[in-house]
Amino acid sequence: MPTGGMDTSKWWRYKDLRKLNLLLIFPLLSIFSQGFDGSMMNGLQAVTEWRNYFGAPKGAVLGLFNAAYPLGGVIGVFFIPIVSDRWGRKAGLAFGAAVSVLGGALQAGSVNLAMFVIARLLLGVGCIITAGVGAPFVTEIAHPSQRTTATALFLTFYSFGSIIAGWATFGTFRITNSAAWRIPSGLQVVPSAMQLLGVWWVPESPRWLVSRGRSDEAWKMIVKYHGDNNENDELAVFEFEEIQLAVNNRVESKHKGIRNDLNNLHAFIKTPGNRKRLAILVWAALISQLSGNAFVSYYLSPILASVGLKTDLQQTLINATSQMVSWFSALYFATLSGKLGRRTLFLWSLAAIWICDICITIGSALFQKDGNKAAGYSVVVFLYLFSPAYNLGLNGNLGLYISEIAPFELRTTGLAIFYFSQQCFNILSSFTTPIGLENIKWKFYIIFVGWVMVEFAVVWLLFPETKGPPLEDIAALFDGPREHGGEKLDLEALESKIPAQTHTAEQVEKI
């Protein structure tokens, strides 16, 4: 890939590239609300006013509170390809943000259990749409040399949302009325409202514009933001030709509406390459939800109580500070995908998660056996370490990987499949975890110790490395050679170029 006329390591010197990178904040906020929700629900379970207002839910009732959000996500995934592929990335993002604002407002104003659950359903619908649209949006408009970093940063905003929610619940738990939980609930509206207002200034995806026959607009966007307004810029010309080739040659179906959506779903089982993509998307969704992360994401409060940390102050403070550790680690690890490789980070992350699961299990068992305080504190330490272990490969790296393995015409459908699978696994985890913790206590953790080993083995066997090739050429790793500007793009030749291209990427990605 040509390097172009801009030195992107000093991107702030270029007016339009600087503007683009600042505008990326709006699609990057797409995952913020999901992180906010998990941390907020962790915090609210430690807030006496919330427990008293809703009758101290536990077991299946507590599972319903938390599972309502991913259940809404299951509904929302069906809207992702509809709003994103037909209306465009900007309009799709705005639609999801509007639904999220409605859900957040209802949650803050809830007067009973039913209203709170319905509000969480709406939040799940809206947030999954913004996540499903925002991920490809970032991938498709970011400067090619910054795409890896920008896309990897996408999921780090989950941790950022977690920090805000953690400190919000810590700051309000002392309030002696329902404002203790209504204020954090209302704050969940803010990022979605910012998106709803600000997304209209973000440039539309050039890939979507080309797919709609608006190539002139796509060319203008690429020249302005990726070519420094130079129509002869080698990178801009190369990128535009790549997009036209990928979009125009691959979009075989001209059907509109539901029939086109069904065709896209059928495409995932039609060829060996797409079947492999489908298997990866589902397995990636599974490891993101069933590796023990529900302990940290939604049920930190009962776990802390099980090792003797029961006060509102202790639980909300641990929740808030652990989210800060999570965010800082997510930011740093987001820079490693282009250096160490996607598959490598997946494997390292699962190995680290496995160690944390083992230590949490042992510490909990020893504390419940004889009240060993040192064992209880060790559980807290590894709960803190779990988030960095998870973020190493299953945060920014995961968001980058699932966005780049699918070709353009299947990208939003692929993300819809991923988020549908992820929310289904989230429902399973959210609903069963409080029941397991209530009935078999620390023995429930043993399930994850064994299961993470299975996850590691499947990733080792199934996931290819995608570090190196341009976005449009990653398809060759799944589908084999394709025509490329009149010449065959050979898979072996592509793989042999990966080290050299990676070296170049490392140089230009120091943003």
Side-chain angles (χ1 to χ4, degrees):
M1 178 187 293
T3 57
M6 290 191 289
D7 179 6
T8 51
S9 65
K10 298 180 176 62
W11 56 267
W12 55 87
R13 295 182 177 179
Y14 304 93
K15 176 184 175 183
D16 292 312
L17 182 57
R18 180 173 67 246
K19 178 182 177 181
L20 174 65
N21 285 345
L22 292 175
L23 289 173
L24 279 174
I25 188 66
F26 294 110
L28 284 172
L29 281 172
S30 299
I31 206 76
F32 181 100
S33 291
Q34 290 191 29
F36 190 102
D37 184 81
S39 180
M40 183 192 71
M41 289 305 298
N42 257 336
L44 291 185
Q45 290 172 61
V47 175
T48 301
E49 288 296 329
W50 183 84
R51 294 197 303 269
N52 291 342
Y53 195 93
F54 291 105
K58 61 181 180 179
V61 176
L62 181 59
L64 176 62
F65 266 95
N66 287 321
Y69 185 88
L71 180 58
V74 169
I75 299 169
V77 294
F78 294 101
F79 292 93
I80 293 173
I82 295 174
V83 299
S84 182
D85 289 344
R86 297 182 199 169
W87 302 348
R89 309 306 197 221
K90 293 168 64 172
L93 198 66
F95 177 79
V99 176
S100 297
V101 168
L102 176 61
L106 287 175
Q107 182 175 260
S110 294
V111 295
N112 52 42
L113 171 64
M115 187 173 177
F116 194 86
V117 170
I118 290 172
R120 290 185 56 70
L121 277 168
L122 282 173
L123 274 168
V125 172
C127 289
I128 206 66
I129 293 173
T130 56
V133 177
F137 198 8
V138 171
T139 299
E140 292 167 3
I141 68 173
H143 191 282
S145 67
Q146 299 176 337
R147 175 179 59 84
T148 298
T149 301
T151 308
L153 281 173
F154 180 78
L155 281 182
T156 67
F157 276 75
Y158 181 100
S159 300
F160 184 48
S162 298
I163 289 178
I164 302 302
W167 285 110
T169 54
F170 176 76
T172 60
F173 83 87
R174 296 176 181 84
I175 300 175
T176 56
N177 55 53
S178 64
W181 61 267
R182 293 189 190 277
I183 291 174
S185 296
L187 288 175
Q188 198 164 359
V189 170
V190 175
S192 297
M194 290 174 61
Q195 284 187 302
L196 186 59
L197 296 174
V199 71
W200 308 109
W201 280 271
V202 183
E204 184 58 88
S205 163
R207 289 166 178 81
W208 183 81
L209 290 171
V210 170
S211 74
R212 285 295 182 263
R214 295 160 62 180
S215 296
D216 288 345
E217 294 176 53
W219 171 240
K220 289 177 181 177
M221 182 275 173
I222 292 171
V223 169
K224 179 178 181 179
Y225 293 106
H226 298 176
D228 197 27
N229 292 294
N230 178 9
E231 294 190 354
N232 297 316
D233 183 85
E234 291 182 357
L235 176 62
V237 173
F238 176 84
E239 182 185 5
F240 184 64
E241 291 177 350
E242 281 278 286
I243 291 172
Q244 285 190 308
L245 178 68
V247 175
N248 294 335
N249 287 358
R250 289 176 182 168
V251 179
E252 299 173 356
S253 173
K254 300 298 182 183
H255 303 296
K256 304 296 182 183
I258 295 176
R259 186 178 178 185
N260 186 55
D261 297 334
L262 294 175
N263 286 339
N264 284 345
L265 288 172
H266 180 258
F268 270 100
I269 60 173
K270 195 173 182 180
T271 67
N274 282 345
R275 287 194 290 272
K276 184 173 183 177
R277 289 185 176 99
L278 177 62
I280 290 173
L281 288 169
V282 174
W283 197 256
L286 183 149
I287 64 177
S288 74
Q289 296 300 317
L290 297 183
S291 299
N293 43 304
F295 306 148
V296 179
S297 297
Y298 281 102
Y299 299 106
L300 185 61
S301 178
I303 290 175
L304 292 176
S306 73
V307 293
L309 300 170
K310 299 180 179 180
T311 70
D312 291 11
L313 175 62
Q314 289 173 326
Q315 293 187 4
T316 56
L317 183 60
I318 289 173
N319 181 44
T321 52
S322 66
Q323 302 305 337
M324 293 185 69
V325 173
S326 178
W327 185 52
F328 286 122
S329 65
L331 283 177
Y332 174 69
F333 293 147
T335 67
L336 299 182
S337 297
K339 300 174 183 178
L340 301 178
R342 286 59 150 162
R343 182 175 178 270
T344 299
L345 291 181
F346 282 130
L347 295 172
W348 287 6
S349 180
L350 288 172
I353 287 171
W354 183 66
I355 293 171
C356 289
D357 285 344
I358 290 175
C359 294
I360 290 170
T361 302
I362 295 173
S364 298
L366 291 175
F367 181 85
Q368 292 192 19
K369 180 181 179 182
D370 54 19
N372 188 315
K373 288 188 177 181
Y377 293 146
S378 73
V379 171
V380 176
V381 170
F382 282 98
L383 285 171
Y384 270 95
L385 293 176
F386 187 95
S387 290
Y390 183 92
N391 291 338
L392 178 60
L394 302 181
N395 193 296
N397 184 62
L398 177 64
L400 170 64
Y401 195 76
I402 62 172
S403 294
E404 67 185 8
I405 64 172
F408 168 78
E409 77 280 4
L410 298 178
R411 191 163 294 144
T412 53
T413 302
L415 284 170
I417 291 171
F418 170 81
Y419 283 118
F420 176 82
S421 303
Q422 187 183 57
Q423 296 308 307
C424 287
F425 293 129
N426 194 353
I427 292 171
L428 174 65
S429 178
S430 298
F431 193 75
T432 58
T433 296
I435 298 173
L437 292 174
E438 184 178 20
N439 293 325
I440 60 176
K441 303 187 182 338
W442 65 268
K443 297 182 184 69
F444 185 67
Y445 308 146
I446 297 175
I447 297 171
F448 296 95
V449 173
W451 179 245
V452 171
M453 295 172 67
V454 177
E455 294 179 344
F456 183 96
V458 174
V459 170
W460 178 277
L461 296 171
L462 183 63
F463 284 41
E465 181 57 73
T466 58
K467 169 190 171 187
L471 181 62
E472 311 303 337
D473 289 344
I474 289 174
L477 298 174
F478 292 87
D479 304 322
R482 68 176 175 87
E483 294 293 332
H484 183 76
E487 299 179 359
K488 282 274 188 179
L489 180 60
D490 184 71
L491 178 58
E492 293 183 1
L494 174 63
E495 291 177 333
S496 69
K497 292 190 294 182
I498 286 178
Q501 289 185 350
T502 302
H503 177 71
T504 302
E506 290 173 7
Q507 291 176 333
V508 299
E509 283 180 9
K510 295 177 181 178
I511 305 174

